[in-house]
Amino acid sequence: METKDYLKDITEIKNMMDRSSRFISLSGLSGVLAGIYCLIGAAMAYNTIYTDSTSLGNYTTVLVTPEMITRLFLIAFMVIVLSIATGIGLSIRKAKKSNETLWNSSSRRLVINFAIPLMTGGFFIMFLIEKEILVLVAPLTLLFYGLACVNASKYTLGDVRYLGITLIVLGLLSTWFLGYGLLFWAIGFGVCHILYGGIMYFKYDRD
């Protein structure tokens, strides 16, 4: 009987330590909504780039104009802002339900470890855009975002790690199939976010 009590106490202590070291207020529903935003953004980007019957993702037959790049930046900006706002809002609501503080040492470590590879990739991609090397933009966004997820996963829910690995694989595949960058971008940021966000919602949020 005493042995069972000791094991129970050890398990509770372990759970408490795990909760204190990980940001568990991350909402799975925010991932689903972010994926939906990304799919809508991908559809808008497709309409912007391919206004005729050119084949999907064939950059060699597309005339890229400054106006097109500006519109694509606006679409990306709107998707990012909506995704971040949704993630923060739903995480605040989840933290309140759990009587937890949203901004603590765990969330700070999460943000820092997520931002380092993401900002590095962002600056690198900006340099490529300046040099008009646009064909690598989609693969590199998937790769660096995937690396950011893997790097930050040890400070939040473990499912984020698998999302990151999936995005890294898609980024590498997208590098091989350069003509289909927008398609891989939609699958990675759209479908994968919806899939993993749904899994996280049913595992951690639904109750």
Side-chain angles (χ1 to χ4, degrees):
M1 185 69 178
E2 292 182 359
T3 303
K4 291 183 178 179
D5 291 337
Y6 286 141
L7 292 175
K8 182 179 179 181
D9 291 340
I10 292 173
T11 301
E12 291 178 354
I13 293 172
K14 183 179 178 182
N15 290 334
M16 290 175 61
M17 292 178 64
D18 187 60
R19 289 172 67 90
S20 65
S21 62
R22 289 175 177 263
F23 178 70
I24 60 174
S25 295
L26 189 65
S27 172
L29 185 59
S30 65
V32 175
L33 293 175
I36 294 173
Y37 300 152
C38 289
L39 289 179
I40 295 173
M44 295 173 65
Y46 179 85
N47 290 331
T48 299
I49 298 172
Y50 308 106
T51 56
D52 54 15
S53 60
T54 55
S55 60
L56 178 62
N58 191 347
Y59 285 88
T60 60
T61 61
V62 175
L63 177 62
V64 179
T65 64
E67 293 78 10
M68 183 185 297
I69 294 177
T70 300
R71 186 174 178 186
L72 291 175
F73 266 112
L74 289 174
I75 293 171
F77 180 76
M78 287 189 297
V79 170
I80 292 171
V81 169
L82 284 173
S83 299
I84 293 175
T86 301
I88 293 175
L90 292 178
S91 294
I92 291 174
R93 188 179 71 172
K94 184 177 178 181
K96 286 182 178 180
K97 286 184 177 180
S98 304
N99 293 321
E100 297 176 355
T101 303
L102 182 68
W103 187 246
N104 50 34
S105 59
S106 299
S107 59
R108 285 194 292 270
R109 287 194 295 267
L110 170 65
V111 171
I112 292 172
N113 283 272
F114 185 77
I116 291 173
L118 192 68
M119 292 183 67
T120 302
F123 282 114
F124 182 54
I125 291 170
M126 290 294 293
F127 297 149
L128 292 181
I129 293 174
E130 183 182 1
K131 301 296 182 182
E132 297 184 357
I133 309 176
L134 303 179
V135 72
L136 292 176
V137 170
L140 288 176
T141 53
L142 288 166
L143 283 171
F144 279 104
Y145 185 80
L147 290 171
C149 289
V150 171
N151 195 48
S153 62
K154 55 182 174 290
Y155 299 108
T156 186
L157 303 176
D159 303 79
V160 175
R161 179 180 181 85
Y162 300 111
L163 171 62
I165 293 173
T166 303
L167 291 172
I168 290 172
V169 173
L170 286 172
L172 293 174
L173 288 174
S174 180
T175 306
W176 183 260
F177 299 100
L178 285 177
Y180 298 88
L182 184 58
L183 177 61
F184 278 99
W185 196 90
I187 294 173
F189 290 108
V191 176
C192 287
H193 266 122
I194 293 173
L195 175 62
Y196 282 96
I199 292 173
M200 291 168 61
Y201 174 77
F202 284 105
K203 287 177 66 175
Y204 309 110
D205 299 351
R206 189 172 58 171
D207 293 338

